[in-house]
Structures are given as C-alpha cells and as structure tokens.
Amino acid sequence: MKSLRLLALVLCVPTLAFGGGHEFRGVVHSIESAYGVHHLHIPLLGVALFFVRPQGVSGLKLAVFENFETPTDSDDVRRLVESSLGPGWYPFVRVHSKGDPQGETTLIYASPSGGRLRMMIVNVEASEATVVELNLSDRAIKKWIKEPGEEAENQSGHASHRAHD
Amino acid sequence: MTKTIARKALALVLWLALPALLRAQEIKLPPDVEKLSAKAKETVEVNMDGPMLRWASKFLSSEDPDERKAAKLVANLKGIYVRISEFDKDGAYSADEVEALRSQFRPPVWSRVVGVRSERDGDNVDIFFRLEDEHMTGIVIVAAEAKELTFVNIVGPIEVDQLADLGGEFGIPKLDRKSLSKSVAKVEKGDHK
C-alpha cells in the first residue's frame, strides 16, 4: 500500500511541477501566445526537479521553450512578463549580455511575503527561453541580499544547464 | 450636475495623489546611465524598492552587529538601484560621457564627498550626497574602471556613519569607513567641490 502511494506521488509530480502558482502559468502562457511557441513536455521533469535543485530552493517549477524566434529587444520580454505578474511582484535583478547573433537576458522578479520569498526567473537567449519559479529558504535569501547580481548569474546558469541536461 | 461633481471629485483625487505621483517619478537611473549601458557587453541591474527593502531588512542577521546596523538603515530607505555595466574593451566609453553623468549631481542639492582618481589603474570613484535641510536623503556612487562602470543610487534618509554599513550588501561595493569619515568631515566643514 505504501509503495502504491509512493508510485502515485511519483506519477503526479510532473503535473505538480507545472501546476500551482497562477503567476507562473500566466508568464508561460504569455510567452506561448506572444511568440507562437509551446513549452516542452519533459518526461519525469517533476521527479528530476525534486531531486536535483540548488541549495535552499523549494517549490521549483520549470518551463522550457525551444526553437522559436526570440525577441531581439529585451524590453519586449520585460513588458510581457510584467503584464503577466500581478501586484506584489517586484522587479529585482535584470542581467543582459550582448551576443552574436543574439544576446541573453535574465529577468528576476521577487514576491516577498511573511518569511518567504518567491522568485520568478525568465531567461531568454537565441531560440530558447526558460521560466523558473522557486521559493527561497532563509539562508538562500541572505545570499541573494548579499550578492544579488552574482546569484542572478549563477541561477540563470543553473536554469539553462538544467534545461540542456 | 452629476458630471460637475464627478469632475470635482476627480480633480480632488488627482490633487491628493500628486505628491505620490511626483515621488514615483523620482529618477532611479539617469538617462546617461542607460546610454552608457547600451554600449556594454553585459549589464546587471539590481532594484530594491521600499517594500522589498523593508522585507529584506528582517533577513539581515540579528547576531551579526554589522548586519544588524545595515538592517536598521535599510528599513528606512526608499530604494536601492544598482547598475553594473561591463565593456569588452578599454575606451568603450569616454571620460566625457562619465563626466556628463557626474555633472548631474551638482550643488546645492548634491555634494561630492569622495573623488578618487587613479592614473595607474584608471579607476575613478565619486560619491555624492543629497542634502535636504542638512539631512542626507540620498547617495549616488559612480565607479568608473577601464572596462566596468558601476552606478549606485540609494534613495532615502541615511546617516553618514551608517553609510559604510551598507557596503557589501545588495551588490553595493564595500566602502572604506576611515576614508569615508574623513571625506564627510571635509563636506561638513564646507571644504568640497
């Protein structure tokens, strides 16, 4: 019986990974409708995210988009994401690197509430994009407060590597 | 009649909201910073508005005395805005462009308290204080290196001796307490440019 429950949980986790926060779904749907692309279905993504996640992070949700024409102006992405996020989300960190043919933009929004911090991370580079939502632990929050720029670069690197693995 | 009342009500609401609207228009990043960032290979922008800062102040350790001081200071601030631009080669931006940026922070509202020029490294750091009725209400830091330009805007009431406590938090460079105190003393004596 116990193993049956465990199996049911494991089978449900992929749905949980994409379910939950309506803001996350809002951002994903906005990207889908604005750029005519669908996020990838990655089998057992939820299970993978449950076991492989950065320290101090929980409630990880991830959506990956591939092979589409990403906008050249990073402000387009910013406007799109901000229109999908409700009040209570604050622009926190933005990293933009120029590149050939196209650069990379990482936008991070934060929603502080009580003792927790939710973060929405949107990374866009040539022909692909990643949307990540996560909750940070106290320890992780302190790291972000100390070095927000550095953490943003690390986190966007994690997100794109996870997507490529 | 109803229209007139509605118009008057609208005018009253706008009048009441005007101070808040004007505050909202406070410049976080001057256009010159945006112009310089456009030339950069990579830009990192950190924004911490009032609600975020008040929330973040709760997370600075109550055990660490430095962090405790920073928490007290941060809780009263209106915002911290940091822009770091990294360039791929020396001379990607000119000294005149940085000077145009610095020149926006001039007396009587702004006072330059620190100005470091290093001919060897080409590193230039300027710290400007915004003074209103003898109270410090903001700080701008412009740090120009050969391939990197950092602009920091701290908005809100801040005490001189608290300033060094903020270095090392929120991506703000660490500030040397001793040299800062000396520079501030000069400003207080009126010995500044």
Side-chain angles (χ1 to χ4, degrees):
Chain A
M1 190 64 186
K2 205 175 173 185
S3 49
L4 255 179
R5 263 190 233 146
L6 186 67
L7 178 69
L9 183 69
V10 166
L11 289 174
C12 286
V13 169
T15 332
L16 294 175
F18 190 74
H22 66 278
E23 292 99 340
F24 175 78
R25 279 189 307 233
V27 173
V28 170
H29 290 155
S30 299
I31 291 175
E32 288 181 336
S33 50
Y35 304 116
V37 63
H38 284 285
H39 70 275
L40 297 179
H41 175 71
I42 306 170
L44 296 176
L45 171 67
V47 180
L49 291 181
F50 184 77
F51 290 108
V52 185
R53 61 183 178 204
Q55 240 185 350
V57 167
S58 63
L60 205 56
K61 299 182 188 79
L62 170 71
V64 179
F65 302 87
E66 272 187 1
N67 303 320
F68 73 108
E69 203 174 314
T70 49
T72 46
D73 185 357
S74 65
D75 279 336
D76 285 349
V77 189
R78 184 183 55 78
R79 277 190 288 267
L80 187 75
V81 174
E82 285 176 9
S83 66
S84 312
L85 293 173
W89 285 90
Y90 299 93
F92 182 28
V93 182
R94 181 180 178 187
V95 182
H96 179 69
S97 329
K98 280 184 183 166
D100 192 22
Q102 195 184 332
E104 183 178 346
T105 300
T106 303
L107 304 170
I108 301 180
Y109 293 83
S111 174
S113 141
R116 69 176 193 153
L117 183 72
R118 283 160 73 205
M119 273 191 179
M120 190 76 71
I121 304 176
V122 180
N123 179 262
V124 180
E125 50 192 298
S127 77
E128 59 185 63
T130 315
V131 181
V132 180
E133 191 194 326
L134 46 85
N135 295 326
L136 290 182
S137 70
D138 284 14
R139 209 168 152 189
I141 291 169
K142 280 180 188 168
K143 272 172 82 181
W144 272 92
I145 290 172
K146 286 249 174 234
E147 287 296 342
E150 207 171 289
E151 284 297 311
E153 284 175 340
N154 292 341
Q155 209 58 248
S156 60
H158 276 148
S160 28
H161 287 145
R162 267 197 303 273
H164 288 124
D165 286 346
Chain B
M1 180 72 180
T2 323
K3 269 187 184 175
T4 320
I5 293 170
R7 266 191 213 139
K8 279 185 180 168
L10 182 66
L12 181 68
V13 168
L14 283 174
W15 184 75
L16 289 172
L18 194 63
L21 289 170
L22 288 174
R23 273 198 302 276
Q25 283 173 347
E26 192 158 18
I27 295 169
K28 296 169 185 175
L29 291 166
D32 292 73
V33 175
E34 302 283 356
K35 250 197 286 179
L36 285 162
S37 297
K39 298 178 178 185
K41 178 184 74 173
E42 181 172 288
T43 51
V44 176
E45 195 181 318
V46 179
N47 301 295
M48 297 281 283
D49 281 319
M52 274 279 283
L53 284 170
R54 278 189 289 283
W55 178 87
S57 68
K58 294 175 198 156
F59 278 89
L60 293 168
S61 173
S62 55
E63 290 148 28
D64 183 326
D66 284 343
E67 284 192 5
R68 206 164 48 225
K69 282 185 208 163
K72 219 171 156 186
L73 160 65
V74 158
N76 294 321
L77 292 178
K78 291 179 186 169
I80 297 178
Y81 309 97
V82 180
R83 174 72 67 96
I84 303 162
S85 306
E86 235 183 85
F87 303 89
D88 53 2
K89 57 179 190 287
D90 289 7
Y93 64 90
S94 70
D96 288 347
E97 285 173 298
V98 184
E99 197 43 53
L101 170 64
R102 288 190 199 111
S103 67
Q104 292 175 32
F105 306 100
R106 54 178 175 254
V109 178
W110 291 92
S111 299
R112 193 178 79 153
V113 283
V114 175
V116 178
R117 299 283 177 272
S118 163
E119 279 183 23
R120 196 185 58 190
D121 306 321
D123 296 355
N124 302 314
V125 180
D126 293 88
I127 302 181
F128 302 88
F129 287 172
R130 185 187 169 96
L131 297 164
E132 281 174 57
D133 301 327
E134 295 180 8
H135 292 290
M136 206 193 304
T137 57
I139 294 167
V140 158
I141 303 171
V142 181
E145 293 171 35
K147 287 184 182 173
E148 193 172 294
L149 184 76
T150 304
F151 178 86
V152 180
N153 187 7
I154 301 168
V155 185
I158 184 167
E159 296 295 325
V160 173
D161 53 356
Q162 292 176 318
L163 179 59
D165 299 327
L166 210 53
E169 310 285 349
F170 310 106
I172 298 170
K174 286 203 172 177
L175 304 163
D176 181 52
R177 199 178 289 270
K178 277 185 188 167
S179 51
L180 197 61
S181 304
K182 276 184 195 167
S183 307
V184 170
K186 275 186 189 173
V187 169
E188 285 170 347
K189 279 184 199 164
D191 181 20
H192 65 282
K193 284 174 191 173

